[in-house]
Amino acid sequence: VTAGAAEAAAHGTHSIIFGPQERVRRALGSSPSGVEVGDAPDEITNFDEPAQAARSKTNSSIVQAARALGEGRADALVTTGPAGAALAASLIHVKRLPGVYRPALAVALPVPGRRLLLLDVGANVEVRPEHLTQFAFMGAAFSEGVLGVPRPRVGLLSIGEEAGKGTEDVVAAYDKLSSLPSAPFDFAGNVEGFDLTRGEVDVVVTDGFTGNVALKTLEATAKTVVGAIRDAIRSGTVSRLGGLLVRHKLTPLRDTFSQESVGGAYLLGLRGLVVVCHGNSTRRAVANAITLAARGVEEEVVRRTADSLAAAGVLRGRQGDDPASVPADSVTSR
Amino acid sequence: VTAGAAEAAAHGTHSIIFGPQERVRRALGSSPSGVEVGDAPDEITNFDEPAQAARSKTNSSIVQAARALGEGRADALVTTGPAGAALAASLIHVKRLPGVYRPALAVALPVPGRRLLLLDVGANVEVRPEHLTQFAFMGAAFSEGVLGVPRPRVGLLSIGEEAGKGTEDVVAAYDKLSSLPSAPFDFAGNVEGFDLTRGEVDVVVTDGFTGNVALKTLEATAKTVVGAIRDAIRSGTVSRLGGLLVRHKLTPLRDTFSQESVGGAYLLGLRGLVVVCHGNSTRRAVANAITLAARGVEEEVVRRTADSLAAAGVLRGRQGDDPASVPADSVTSR
């Protein structure tokens, strides 16, 4: 984390690192310019119940960082997780955008030649049609502002292309998305599991259960196939020689399919941008995530999200019309 | 289809081919022994509403074949789809096993070195915990009888390994599956998307929406990765040469990941075994599917399923305790 922050600072993005002050300073070494340290001696681990820990461990790095973002001392938040604690701390201190039902966790899928944004991948295991509708706006604003897609094509994940396919909630979301008065994206209708590796849509919207399963299936399949090919090439003398001759072509591909180049997952629908990196992120991955968060700030992804949701009239009403709204303690980690 | 049936007959499995009598006879040529023809001049296509077509098009091949199975003139049914029509015709003419809530569509995932059975992959978009519980028994009986796994390990697809992870329905199914008095399988707890390409469980149970998305994501990712590697190898002179030297190792792998070798999808929970092949199945795929269906008959998969569900006490009660039971007209095609 410290090396990634130093690298991002060298490229012009300043940061505050929250963590046990002395350890952080020691890791930073000669105090590079552009990196401040905020003391946060406590930590939240994968074994803590996220919402409870986010409330009680106020000296943890994630809570301190979320407070800094919520109070305007920072413009965005980058963390190496756990995702559940990041979501819980963000709900408390960064807060949802007014009128947003639920934040969603989005990832850019590691697909060659395109950055397809999939959301939700685990922040909400059960969602209603109006949540899926909002996810489309949240994803489109991020795709345009940060991933640089001019007018994103947004698909709804289902089990067939036709309008009537899928669960009742998916069918209702389809109806809503296909009759929007105003949206900064093109609704491409239903897409299927196949489409997650095709380049025909820019954003795919789904519930956090399905999205989580699809993301992990995609990552694991890519890894399994690459591994099986590598093992096959290594299993004979002639093919090993052939392997030497194709290696220079395959190495860049491996990077394409590795999650590291993607830069993290994004919590969208909050009053500030939150980027959640893998727990085992390298220096490069952390630096990428910081740079990407900075781009989100420059491109005003949060304001764009709020504006487009308002313009389309899909904000949640003021008067408790969402009785089922889930409190922070039911958040789920990725 | 005719060539596949002739091939299966040559290996000892007889069949009746339902279709337009003259076309089928012409395709069969010199009437191989072990293949009968049943006239079915009508057809159900992907554009028909499955349940309605299954009721009205009584002279279609799928309805005729389902009737033959239901009336005991056949022991199993193999079709090249559409899956929705096959399910609808089977519900009407083959019928569910007594006490089974819903049939499920299962596939053996094309993962190297192991046949992992995933169900449901699209027969039921929305399911309740007791349906997921029954799917475990249906999948385990098939895994043992047809895929030859002695005491299958059954996992429940969720978004985390811990017992409390997932939707309310998944959590309830977890509780039921982990407290069964008697089962012919080992319950392995929750598994994640990652586990669909690992070899640690033999059967993975999920709802038809999630299963369909996961299956298509897996198939598309494998295809995309293999294609990207092939393109990369072909993109340079040196790597093309290397490609020639590794080809003999990669060709068998391609078959592993191709759906064709898998032999089809299986409708489980009915009074007879129904195998649904891809619409573009080759002779070999059809022959494989017929052979596999015959193995299911020999190994009495249907009886085993019924016996194990009864022994565990997870059959549906006699008196309409399933008011939400979905009629045949809400079936969904794969």
Side-chain angles (χ1 to χ4, degrees):
Chain A
V1 170
T2 53
E7 185 171 313
H11 289 85
T13 306
H14 292 193
S15 56
I16 314 168
I17 302 182
F18 290 95
Q21 196 164 345
E22 292 200 11
R23 262 182 73 196
V24 174
R25 288 203 192 285
R26 209 162 44 236
L28 271 173
S30 56
S31 304
S33 70
V35 183
E36 281 175 57
V37 179
D39 193 31
D42 213 350
E43 70 176 328
I44 298 180
T45 71
N46 271 315
F47 301 102
D48 288 305
E49 200 287 304
Q52 195 188 320
R55 286 210 195 81
S56 61
K57 294 192 168 180
T58 52
N59 276 325
S60 61
S61 55
I62 185 63
V63 171
Q64 290 289 323
R67 284 185 53 192
L69 177 55
E71 294 168 3
R73 287 176 285 126
D75 298 311
L77 192 166
V78 174
T79 170
T80 55
L87 175 56
S90 299
L91 280 168
I92 299 169
H93 297 290
V94 184
K95 295 191 172 66
R96 287 178 290 188
L97 274 171
V100 162
Y101 294 97
R102 308 256 189 95
L105 194 63
V107 293
L109 297 178
V111 173
R114 195 89 174 236
R115 284 281 168 260
L116 190 154
L117 193 74
L118 175 67
L119 76 166
D120 179 20
V121 296
N124 312 281
V125 289
E126 281 167 294
V127 302
R128 295 205 310 278
E130 54 270 37
H131 303 165
L132 291 169
T133 303
Q134 289 194 341
F135 292 173
F137 287 82
M138 289 151 51
F142 187 88
S143 177
E144 187 170 359
V146 177
L147 304 179
V149 178
R151 187 177 167 87
R153 284 174 57 79
V154 178
L156 179 65
L157 192 57
S158 189
I159 62 170
E161 290 187 358
E162 306 86 339
K165 291 285 185 182
T167 62
E168 266 181 51
D169 284 347
V170 167
V171 172
Y174 184 104
D175 290 344
K176 182 69 188 171
L177 283 165
S178 53
S179 62
L180 288 169
S182 132
F185 57 84
D186 292 323
F187 178 54
N190 285 347
V191 297
E192 302 182 65
F194 298 135
D195 297 294
L196 294 181
T197 63
R198 288 181 192 156
E200 289 168 27
V201 286
D202 305 296
V203 177
V204 172
V205 166
T206 188
D207 66 274
F209 187 87
T210 309
N212 187 280
V213 168
L215 173 64
K216 288 174 178 169
T217 301
L218 187 148
E219 288 178 353
T221 305
K223 202 169 166 180
T224 299
V225 174
V226 169
I229 288 174
R230 194 191 47 218
D231 291 349
I233 289 177
R234 286 183 185 165
S235 69
T237 312
V238 173
S239 59
R240 244 192 335 257
L241 175 61
L244 294 176
L245 304 180
V246 301
R247 198 165 57 182
H248 65 294
K249 292 288 184 185
L250 299 189
T251 304
L253 261 192
R254 204 180 48 201
D255 293 343
T256 302
F257 289 113
S258 100
Q259 197 56 27
E260 172 163 336
S261 58
V262 175
Y266 322 106
L267 268 174
L268 306 180
L270 299 165
R271 296 180 196 207
L273 187 57
V274 177
V275 180
V276 185
C277 305
H278 279 214
N280 60 357
S281 292
T282 59
R283 173 179 61 94
R284 169 61 56 85
V286 171
N288 278 350
I290 294 172
T291 306
L292 188 140
R295 198 184 310 151
V297 172
E298 277 161 34
E299 296 289 336
E300 300 185 277
V301 167
V302 170
R303 188 192 53 72
R304 283 189 202 203
T305 305
D307 289 354
S308 64
L309 285 165
V314 294
L315 288 173
R316 176 183 171 186
R318 266 148 227 259
Q319 325 204 39
D321 61 348
D322 185 27
S325 175
V326 168
D329 56 19
S330 66
V331 296
T332 310
S333 73
R334 188 186 154 201
Chain B
V1 170
T2 53
E7 185 171 314
H11 289 85
T13 306
H14 292 194
S15 55
I16 314 169
I17 302 181
F18 290 95
Q21 196 164 347
E22 291 200 10
R23 261 183 73 197
V24 174
R25 286 203 193 286
R26 209 160 44 236
L28 272 174
S30 57
S31 305
S33 70
V35 183
E36 281 176 57
V37 180
D39 193 30
D42 212 351
E43 70 176 329
I44 298 180
T45 71
N46 271 315
F47 301 101
D48 289 305
E49 200 288 303
Q52 196 189 320
R55 284 208 197 85
S56 61
K57 294 191 169 181
T58 51
N59 275 326
S60 61
S61 56
I62 185 63
V63 171
Q64 290 288 325
R67 285 186 54 192
L69 177 55
E71 294 168 2
R73 286 176 285 128
D75 297 310
L77 191 166
V78 173
T79 171
T80 55
L87 175 57
S90 299
L91 280 167
I92 298 169
H93 297 290
V94 184
K95 295 191 172 63
R96 288 177 290 187
L97 274 171
V100 163
Y101 294 97
R102 307 255 189 98
L105 194 63
V107 292
L109 296 179
V111 173
R114 195 88 172 238
R115 284 282 169 259
L116 190 155
L117 193 74
L118 175 67
L119 75 164
D120 179 23
V121 297
N124 312 280
V125 289
E126 281 167 296
V127 303
R128 295 206 310 279
E130 55 269 36
H131 303 163
L132 291 169
T133 303
Q134 289 195 340
F135 292 172
F137 287 83
M138 287 150 52
F142 187 88
S143 177
E144 188 171 358
V146 178
L147 305 180
V149 178
R151 188 178 166 86
R153 284 174 57 80
V154 177
L156 179 64
L157 191 57
S158 190
I159 62 171
E161 289 187 359
E162 305 87 338
K165 293 283 186 183
T167 61
E168 266 181 51
D169 283 348
V170 167
V171 172
Y174 184 104
D175 290 345
K176 182 70 188 170
L177 284 165
S178 53
S179 62
L180 288 169
S182 132
F185 57 84
D186 291 322
F187 178 54
N190 285 346
V191 297
E192 303 182 65
F194 297 135
D195 297 294
L196 294 181
T197 63
R198 289 181 192 155
E200 290 168 25
V201 286
D202 305 297
V203 177
V204 172
V205 166
T206 188
D207 66 273
F209 187 87
T210 309
N212 187 279
V213 168
L215 173 64
K216 288 174 178 169
T217 301
L218 187 150
E219 289 179 352
T221 304
K223 202 169 167 181
T224 299
V225 174
V226 169
I229 288 174
R230 193 191 46 218
D231 291 348
I233 289 178
R234 286 183 185 165
S235 69
T237 312
V238 173
S239 59
R240 237 184 349 250
L241 175 60
L244 294 176
L245 303 180
V246 301
R247 199 165 55 182
H248 64 295
K249 292 289 184 183
L250 299 189
T251 304
L253 261 192
R254 204 181 48 202
D255 294 342
T256 303
F257 289 113
S258 100
Q259 197 55 27
E260 174 163 336
S261 58
V262 175
Y266 322 107
L267 269 175
L268 306 180
L270 298 165
R271 296 181 197 207
L273 188 57
V274 177
V275 180
V276 185
C277 305
H278 280 214
N280 60 357
S281 291
T282 59
R283 174 179 60 95
R284 169 61 56 87
V286 171
N288 279 349
I290 294 172
T291 306
L292 188 140
R295 198 183 312 151
V297 172
E298 277 160 32
E299 296 290 334
E300 299 184 277
V301 166
V302 170
R303 187 192 53 73
R304 283 190 202 201
T305 305
D307 289 353
S308 65
L309 285 165
V314 294
L315 289 172
R316 176 183 172 187
R318 266 148 226 259
Q319 324 205 40
D321 62 348
D322 185 27
S325 175
V326 168
D329 55 20
S330 66
V331 297
T332 311
S333 72
R334 189 187 155 203

